[in-house]
Amino acid sequence: MSATCVIGLQWGDEAKGKIVDLLTAQNDIVVRYQGGANAGHTVVFGGAKYKLSLIPSGVFRPEVKSVIASGVVVDPEALLSEIDRLRGAGVEIERNLLISDRAHVIFPWHKEEDRLMNDSGVRNEAIGTTMRGIGPCYRDKVGRSTAIRMGDLYRSDFGEKVRKICALKNSSLPGMARNAEVRATVQPLDADKIVADYTSYAARLKPFVGDVVNYLLDAVDANKKMLLEGAQGAMLDVDYGTFPYVTSSNSSGVGVIAGSGLPATFIKRVVGIVKAYTTRVGGGPFPTELNNEIGQRIRDRGNEYGTVTKRPRRCGWFDAVAVRYTSRLSGATELSVMLLDVLSGFDEVNVCVAYELDGKRIDYVPSDVDELARVAPIYETLPGWREEIDGVTSYDALPTNAKNYLARLEQIVGKPVSIVSVGPSREQTIIR
Ligand code: GDP
Ligand code: IMO
Ligand code: MG
């Protein structure tokens, strides 16, 4: 019995989707266990590109069960349009999809709260959320009294519950606006419409909703092989990331158990996914950010624009201080280095090996976000490589300087590199 986890070790968009698709072939079940439609995972094969948001990136292999576990926050409208889009592209979504009846449901009030609270005015910089209602839904889950789970959609008191919550939210929403101008944009919730819409979503999703916890525990007993697909990245973890510029779930390795309900002893392999450089979308500190032509070159070559919100991603050099921290935190057994092809053509490449904080050298990520915002990266400069590598199929055939770069990352981070990706498609992957 064994499970493999795929965890992003930076600020998300490390190309987790590509590796999940790849590793799914060796598994019976693939599980998404946290986050929601804030995730945008990309899978490329056979000349086609697929975007996944709530559905596990393993869905392209119909013999493998795709599971949305209890820790995910489900937006039924987004999920149904994703199902329609995938079916339209010829992807089978029938008995191969299972959604936890314990997963919490995103409602229109969550998106409205996200809009109002993202830029609450409490801090100078907005969090810059994806506006998918993720934070407010998790807040209601922990608060309990106004939360609705997938299983609740099928209860006879569902309509009554929604009407009561709408009444409460209609009184609290205007109070969340930071000023009168924003308050004037708050529209009252239409409870009748919400009940009607969600009743119809529930009917369409009914064949997929079930007891995921017991399904997974039975699968453990039956020695099934499982792949767990993390969303976001460890630096966005609500407890261990750059709080408050984080997402609202445990997106590092620590979230696997809580989100899936699987026993910790079942996890045998943790593949930490990193880009060969760093990106971030949204607000918050980013020590190695490059607001110059090098950053723009990385953005252009890596096509670094958000999968979900289309925002340009902030780009910078590889931050080995952050990845050493998140790979240890997540229990990574190995690293998968993605988008190495993007770094071709630089005379020199930098790796951040430590930070300078108020005149002192430190080798850890400070817990205080304002301290992290003050650090200056200390770089080690390595020779770059001019050759394009998107057609390279073996590790040995990589340019010497690219191999030296990877070897140095292994040394500083302290984990072996088992996979190297040199392009978006399945074939552009080097397994060592
Ligand atoms: P995820 O959220 O972690 O699954 O990552 P995203 O899908 O948001 O972003 C990764 C992007 O990089 C996608 O557009 C992928 O198709 C693309 N990609 C994946 N691997 C590579 C690679 O090795 N090289 C290049 N150039 N692009 C890649
Ligand atoms: P994948 O799974 C990159 C970021 C948002 C924002 C912060 C909080 O594709 O790697 P939220 O909507 O979650 O409350 O936003 O987190 N964020 C992501 N950044 N990749 C993601 O997912 C992200 N999901 C959320 O930009 O800064
Ligand atoms: Mg993404």
Side-chain angles (χ1 to χ4, degrees), residues 6-10 16 33-35 230-239 241 246-256 329-330:
V6 170
I7 309 278
L9 297 183
Q10 295 160 321
K16 299 173 290 293
Y33 57 87
Q34 46 71 231
Q232 290 79 54
M235 290 298 278
L236 288 169
D237 187 289
V238 66
D239 288 303
V246 292
T247 191
S248 298
S249 65
N250 285 117
S251 50
S252 71
V254 311
V256 176
L329 176 74
S330 299

Side-chain angles (χ1 to χ4, degrees), residues 6-25:
V6 170
I7 309 278
L9 297 183
Q10 295 160 321
W11 279 278
D13 300 328
E14 298 91 347
K16 299 173 290 293
K18 170 171 172 167
I19 297 302
V20 169
D21 166 64
L22 206 76
L23 297 181
T24 293

